[in-house]
Amino acid sequence: DIQMTQSPSSLSASIGDRVTITCQASQDITNYLSWYHQKPGKAPKLLIFDASNLETGVPSRFSGSGSGTDFTFTISSLQPEDIGTYYCQQYDNLPLTFGGGTKVDIK
Amino acid sequence: EVQVLESGGGLVQPGGSLRLSCAASGFTFSTYAMGWVRQAPGKGLEWVSVISGSGGSTHYADSVKGRFTISRDDSKNTLYLQMNSLRVEDTAIYYCAKGLRISLYFDYWGQGTLVTVSS
């Protein structure tokens, strides 16, 4: 199974700050990586697919990069509605696997 | 507008069975992979199962293999998850999610249905 290691597990940042989350795969997954945002008590929402493609309707302050085993997710200017937990997911191989999550809150 | 809506969750005793349903609308259901992802209380996301468009192939997490069965009725635009031999550790919110034709990321998720396994 491919293990997905996300870091940090939590972070606090101020409104307007740049936020960066990393996700490392235990083996090469090419660019088969997605990012999701889950607000408290809600279902996850797709933000990024194929490592760097922004899902339709998602604000441009969100971006993703990377390939192979190392990936980065960035919020260029943190907004109040961005609080919650972010997950990466690999879909290069079954079983599908998620990172452990990064909880983001406002400082 | 794409919508997926789960139902069928509830309280069940260890060893019992439950069938979850997921009604889909707003897209050509038969041509897309569909999956189930669960989230135990206070924990992260765990993939459970996926079925290809038209049901030609199914796959399961090791933790549920042999106990859970995923199926779909394309005439009713509905996805199912039959859960047998339930264990306390199966307690979670179960999300139905729409995949893509080829790729297995999920672009639409339901609101989830809670399954509690307890005596």
Side-chain angles (χ1 to χ4, degrees):
Chain A
D1 297 3
I2 298 174
Q3 308 303 316
M4 305 301 294
T5 304
Q6 247 183 275
S7 62
S9 57
S10 65
L11 66 90
S12 290
S14 301
I15 299 299
D17 280 356
R18 184 180 185 87
V19 170
T20 299
I21 299 168
T22 64
C23 185
Q24 185 171 59
S26 60
Q27 64 188 67
D28 189 339
I29 59 170
T30 320
N31 68 331
Y32 296 121
L33 185 99
S34 54
W35 290 94
Y36 303 89
H37 176 213
Q38 185 177 35
K39 294 183 179 180
K42 300 295 186 182
K45 176 188 174 185
L46 175 68
L47 301 178
I48 302 279
F49 63 95
D50 292 347
S52 60
N53 289 314
L54 199 66
E55 174 71 349
T56 302
V58 173
S60 59
R61 64 179 181 274
F62 298 103
S63 64
S65 65
S67 65
T69 60
D70 295 305
F71 301 86
T72 301
F73 173 81
T74 300
I75 307 172
S76 61
S77 176
L78 187 68
Q79 299 302 304
E81 60 268 30
D82 299 339
I83 64 166
T85 303
Y86 292 81
Y87 295 93
C88 61
Q89 179 224 329
Q90 69 80 20
Y91 46 97
D92 181 58
N93 268 328
L94 291 166
L96 305 178
T97 46
F98 290 88
T102 297
K103 187 174 182 180
V104 175
D105 61 26
I106 304 297
K107 192 184 294 184
Chain B
E1 179 191 7
V2 172
Q3 289 190 329
V4 290
L5 183 64
E6 307 92 339
S7 61
L11 174 64
V12 61
Q13 292 188 335
S17 297
L18 212 55
R19 188 176 84 154
L20 306 183
S21 299
C22 172
S25 61
F27 63 101
T28 307
F29 182 75
S30 62
T31 63
Y32 288 91
M34 296 292 295
W36 292 96
V37 176
R38 68 184 180 183
Q39 187 169 36
K43 302 297 185 182
L45 301 174
E46 179 190 15
W47 170 71
V48 173
S49 182
V50 68
I51 186 168
S52 63
S54 299
S57 66
T58 59
H59 302 277
Y60 300 91
D62 285 347
S63 57
V64 307
K65 200 173 294 182
R67 301 187 298 122
F68 290 12
T69 302
I70 191 171
S71 62
R72 61 193 299 159
D73 185 337
D74 290 344
S75 69
K76 295 181 179 179
N77 287 356
T78 301
L79 176 73
Y80 302 101
L81 186 67
Q82 177 67 44
M83 304 186 295
N84 298 331
S85 302
L86 282 161
R87 305 167 179 168
V88 170
E89 55 265 34
D90 294 319
T91 295
I93 296 172
Y94 284 73
Y95 293 103
C96 166
K98 172 186 169 291
L100 281 295
R101 287 194 174 92
I102 298 176
S103 294
L104 289 180
Y105 61 89
F106 300 110
D107 58 354
Y108 289 93
W109 297 61
Q111 86 291 345
T113 187
L114 177 62
V115 172
T116 303
V117 184
S118 174
S119 55

